[in-house]
Amino acid sequence: MKVLAGLRGHDHRLTRRVAAWDSPAARRLLPAVEEAAAHTKLWWAAAVAMAAGGGWRGRKAAAAGVLAMTVAELLANGVAKQLVERRRPPAEWIPHGDVAERPDSSSFPSGHTAAAVAFTASVAASWPWAGAACAVPTVLVAVERLHSGAHYPSDVVAGAVIGGGAAALVRRAPRLLIRCLR
């Protein structure tokens, strides 16, 4: 129990520190990242671009990314958020104006991060170059979730774990299905 209390304390301190990060670049960039990532618009746009311009490899990467993203969102938003009710970080911890736009749903886990990591990890497995390009906005999405006060760091880490798990599941599902059918 003492370990959990210590982790919670670190989680709260890191939340305050990241949310208080005052940089003109962050104030310009992070709201744009949040807008692009809302409703997975950024990842759908990336999938369309890959499918349209990447040939067979691009279509395969886009399909894997979209499928993994869908699984991650289902697990994060449809299952985990329903099982774990956690309040968002307190508004008074967030010294900038982005606090008013936070959702009412559970803070745990970060569905945005789960979707971003799932999409990027699945794309990287099929097309490493495109996966590397997707990694940059994925990291920015995770940072934005902390900076805006929408999530605690542990929420973002849990979202990343769910996203990685969804990508691994999508990658292995065809082989597992074939084994089961034999």
Side-chain angles (χ1 to χ4, degrees):
M1 199 60 150
K2 205 173 196 182
V3 171
L4 285 178
L7 288 174
R8 192 172 307 125
H10 289 301
D11 207 26
H12 291 188
R13 280 189 295 283
L14 187 55
T15 300
R16 286 188 204 142
R17 188 169 292 151
V18 173
W21 178 40
D22 190 24
S23 159
R27 283 195 305 272
R28 282 191 310 274
L29 179 63
L30 294 179
V33 168
E34 196 282 326
E35 176 60 31
H39 308 292
T40 63
K41 292 181 288 201
L42 175 63
W43 312 117
W44 280 103
V48 167
M50 284 186 280
W56 179 82
R57 185 181 234 183
R59 289 187 295 277
K60 180 181 175 189
V66 168
L67 182 57
M69 175 179 68
T70 302
V71 170
E73 285 197 303
L74 182 75
L75 292 172
N77 297 329
V79 177
K81 279 189 187 286
Q82 307 310 310
L83 295 175
V84 180
E85 288 196 26
R86 185 178 195 187
R87 299 174 85 178
R88 303 283 172 166
E92 58 270 10
W93 291 6
I94 317 305
H96 47 77
D98 294 340
V99 177
E101 305 265 335
R102 298 184 310 162
D104 293 331
S105 61
S106 175
S107 179
F108 186 89
S110 170
H112 283 78
T113 305
V117 169
F119 183 87
T120 299
S122 287
V123 166
S126 298
W127 194 7
W129 178 88
C134 290
V136 173
T138 295
V139 169
L140 289 173
V141 165
V143 169
E144 184 281 327
R145 302 315 290 159
L146 296 172
H147 188 261
S148 68
H151 291 285
Y152 294 98
S154 57
D155 301 337
V156 171
V157 169
V161 169
I162 289 169
L169 178 65
V170 165
R171 181 128 175 103
R172 290 181 178 89
R175 288 184 221 124
L176 292 173
L177 185 61
I178 290 169
R179 280 188 204 157
C180 289
L181 294 174
R182 287 184 180 168

